[in-house]
Amino acid sequence: MSSRWAAQRDSILLTGRLLGVAFTLVGAALAFALVFLGVGVFLFPACVRSLRAQAAGLAAAHAQTTGVVIRVPVLPVDDRGGFVARSLHTWRLLTSAEFWRLVRWALFDISTGIVLAIVPFGFVGWGFHGVVVLPILYLLLRITPTEWYAFIPVMSPSGLPFAAILGIGFIVFGFMTGSWWLRMQGRWSALLLGGQVVDLRERVDELATSRAEARQDAAAELRRIEQEVHDGTQSQLVAIGMKLGTAEALLDQEPQRARDLIEQAREDSSTALTELRDLMRGIRPPVLADRGLGPALEALALDATTTISTQVDVQGRLDDSLEAAVYFAARELIANAIKHGRASRVTLAANSDATTLTVTINDDGQGGATLVPGHGLEGTRRRLRVFDGRLIVISPVGGPTSIRIEVPCGS
């Protein structure tokens, strides 16, 4: 019932938004008329920015309330203040396909879209009129009935019960179908604002961005491996060579000391081999390479310092790079939950079907995890985006935290 009440509230708020769009559109039209007098080149871009901001606000509201995704066109931007620059910017706006898509949305959404938005509250309000307002007017205020309520003539008090029954039907209909009308309004707005060209452009931009990010991550990973080899294994191998050279020189004169150096060199070689294996495990764990993502996630849970319950149902083998990306993302999320979230209980669930691989990590930690640029979760999200993956974070302050990885895995 709470969601049905929320739909009534959202109906009022959405109608108010669209009325604001109507006023802004009128202002933009007046500013356009002043372009030919020179004043409009300063006013018109500001009105268009306001119109675009209202479209973005509508998109955010629908994403939160109805789940409908609306792509808002990206307009040319120019903050320079000179008359010539403003004139050129106005011309770029007027010749931009995105601008006319925005105008199309504003024109049709304030005419047809506003009807879809107001229907839920309209039915409830009209039902309230039949159930409450009419009896007050005709029974308490003693006003003579002289109107039609929908298709029922209310010409005397005897017509009030029929109006009340119809009013109850309107109220029930408004509550039961409110969310549906709002979703239809969102899809109508998405149709007006979007289009295949916009989707293709956004897809191209996303691919270009993810490709650049993948190159940056690969370069950073190579630098990390190079640094670890240089500071660790390489230094130890150099030290082993120096000890063996010294032992060779002392072998005839001080054989005991030479044996000690050889023993130290053997221990150092064992340490270097262990570090090299750890480094290779960090690049691609053997269990992941040999048995696949499912067993690797279960092994990851067993190696954690906190008890982790698992529900893993990943069928078959996936692409090697995809398995590695999801494995390391899960490892990082578990480490964050234990180290930063101070979780005492962690659950890991993973499953796959013909199209999607989903990994969910829940913990009872202190919460507050956010996707902040330059921080760990954003880096994880960026690496998953290379595979068209998503990272969904639900982590209120105080916990609990739920983070879900969704990656397409179909052929």
Side-chain angles (χ1 to χ4, degrees), residues 246-247 250-251 254-264:
T246 304
L250 296 175
L251 188 59
E254 300 182 45
Q256 183 58 43
R257 187 179 174 189
R259 282 193 293 269
D260 292 341
L261 288 173
I262 293 172
E263 179 66 22
Q264 292 177 15

Side-chain angles (χ1 to χ4, degrees), residues 62 102 107 196 236 241 243 245 281 348:
H62 270 295
L102 192 67
L107 285 172
Q196 291 184 351
Q236 291 188 352
K243 289 178 181 178
R281 189 177 293 111
L348 186 153

